[in-house]
Amino acid sequence: MELKESIEQEMKLEQLIESLIVMQGRSNRRLEELLKRVHQIEQYILEAGPQATATQPLDEGYSFIARLEKGKTTPKS
């Protein structure tokens, strides 16, 4: 009886390890995709940076937020 239980536990452990390997592979793939996207965004910023700053100061890009904050009203109950 102990031999059968030992074999079952070994099989369950093997299945668990295989599942963890698959999960780690998926996680690594997502991380690689995320890093690729981050590098794309960094490259876009580097390429667009001088053009954007030459035509529009940084403060003007966020001025609409300040206008919204000034004109904000509280909801009436």
Side-chain angles (χ1 to χ4, degrees), residues 25-47:
R26 287 182 191 147
S27 178
N28 287 345
R29 203 168 30 247
R30 287 187 199 121
L31 179 61
E32 289 171 3
E33 291 171 2
L34 179 60
L35 288 173
K36 180 181 175 183
R37 184 66 179 137
V38 167
H39 290 302
Q40 289 174 342
I41 292 170
E42 287 175 341
Q43 187 63 35
Y44 172 77
I45 290 171
L46 289 174
E47 291 173 1

Side-chain angles (χ1 to χ4, degrees), residues 4-74:
K4 184 178 179 181
E5 289 175 4
S6 176
I7 292 173
E8 286 177 10
Q9 286 180 344
E10 186 177 318
M11 290 177 64
K12 288 180 181 181
L13 182 59
E14 185 178 340
Q15 289 174 347
L16 177 61
I17 291 172
E18 288 175 4
S19 295
L20 290 172
I21 290 170
V22 168
M23 290 171 56
Q24 184 65 41
R26 287 182 191 147
S27 178
N28 287 345
R29 203 168 30 247
R30 287 187 199 121
L31 179 61
E32 289 171 3
E33 291 171 2
L34 179 60
L35 288 173
K36 180 181 175 183
R37 184 66 179 137
V38 167
H39 290 302
Q40 289 174 342
I41 292 170
E42 287 175 341
Q43 187 63 35
Y44 172 77
I45 290 171
L46 289 174
E47 291 173 1
Q51 295 170 357
T53 56
T55 59
Q56 178 183 26
L58 184 60
D59 292 341
E60 287 183 21
Y62 297 101
S63 62
F64 71 94
I65 295 172
R67 285 194 300 269
L68 288 174
E69 289 291 323
K70 288 179 184 176
K72 181 171 61 172
T73 59
T74 56

